[in-house]
Amino acid sequence: KGNLLYTRRIGGSPTSDGTKENEVVDKIPGTVNLINAVKVSGRTKNGLGIGVLNAITEKTFGYVRDTITGIVRKSEVEPLANYNVLVFDQRFNQNSSVSLINTNVTRNGDYRDANVSAMVFDLNTKQNTYNASGNFKYSYINEMKNLDDRKGFFTELSLGETSGNYRYNVAGTYVSE
């Protein structure tokens, strides 16, 4: 829901190469191992869908080489990280829905953390003649090393006629800096 999460990032490539000034990567793993992952989802008889995903990845190390001294050292390339997703999706009128979504990643230490919350809706007439859909997304990224927190909004609204000989759609999007 909301195109907020790409699950293949969980356990994907490390977020850092572990190098400092005058260092190059000597050996780095291509993936990060999962410690645990749990996914629970379902829908109540009243149409409320609930989804939860939690995954924890392990602290991962690589090796870097000093280009001046030639010394190779072990370096952290990915900290212990916790990924979470929570979705509430209410269906109604057989073909409409409103969803609340939250995704976040929290990394141990001075690494980038992120949180995105969203409200997504898709409203249709009972005959599927007209549609109103859209979303409101708020993103917060905490860059620990640079002390540069970034916040942003993304919102869309679309209105249209979805059946008949002449169909139309009018849409607008706002994206903050």
Side-chain angles (χ1 to χ4, degrees):
K1 285 286 181 177
N3 295 323
L4 296 178
L5 176 70
Y6 183 60
T7 57
R8 293 189 185 260
R9 285 188 182 156
I10 301 171
S13 300
T15 57
S16 168
D17 64 9
T19 59
K20 296 181 181 174
E21 191 173 331
N22 300 320
E23 289 183 332
V24 293
V25 172
D26 194 55
K27 184 178 180 185
I28 189 170
T31 60
V32 176
N33 291 328
L34 283 172
I35 295 174
N36 184 13
V38 175
K39 175 185 166 188
V40 178
S41 64
R43 193 166 294 278
T44 67
K45 61 183 173 184
N46 294 329
L48 176 63
I50 302 170
V52 177
L53 171 74
N54 180 272
I56 300 170
T57 58
E58 71 180 5
K59 183 188 271 190
T60 305
F61 295 91
Y63 293 91
V64 297
R65 181 175 36 85
D66 189 302
T67 57
I68 297 171
T69 65
I71 295 173
V72 176
R73 69 174 179 85
K74 188 176 183 179
S75 177
E76 183 179 298
V77 294
E78 181 70 26
L80 179 72
N82 187 356
Y83 296 83
N84 289 287
V85 180
L86 177 63
V87 177
F88 295 103
D89 174 53
Q90 181 63 57
R91 286 189 187 163
F92 55 94
N93 291 343
Q94 297 178 342
N95 55 2
S96 296
S97 67
V98 175
S99 304
L100 295 174
I101 306 140
N102 181 264
T103 68
N104 69 65
V105 59
T106 304
R107 295 181 176 96
N108 194 29
D110 292 336
Y111 287 84
R112 178 180 181 215
D113 297 332
N115 188 76
V116 178
S117 297
M119 195 251 332
V120 177
F121 63 93
D122 185 27
L123 309 174
N124 296 286
T125 58
K126 285 192 179 193
Q127 300 78 22
N128 281 329
T129 308
Y130 297 97
N131 172 269
S133 61
N135 61 62
F136 178 81
K137 300 172 183 175
Y138 172 74
S139 174
Y140 175 79
I141 297 173
N142 182 5
E143 297 280 0
M144 297 293 286
K145 291 181 181 179
N146 301 331
L147 299 175
D148 179 26
D149 295 344
R150 292 183 282 163
K151 301 172 186 173
F153 296 94
F154 177 90
T155 187
E156 289 180 306
L157 177 61
S158 173
L159 304 169
E161 184 175 3
T162 55
S163 70
N165 290 333
Y166 297 99
R167 300 175 189 189
Y168 65 88
N169 189 51
V170 177
T173 301
Y174 171 77
V175 180
S176 68
E177 288 184 34

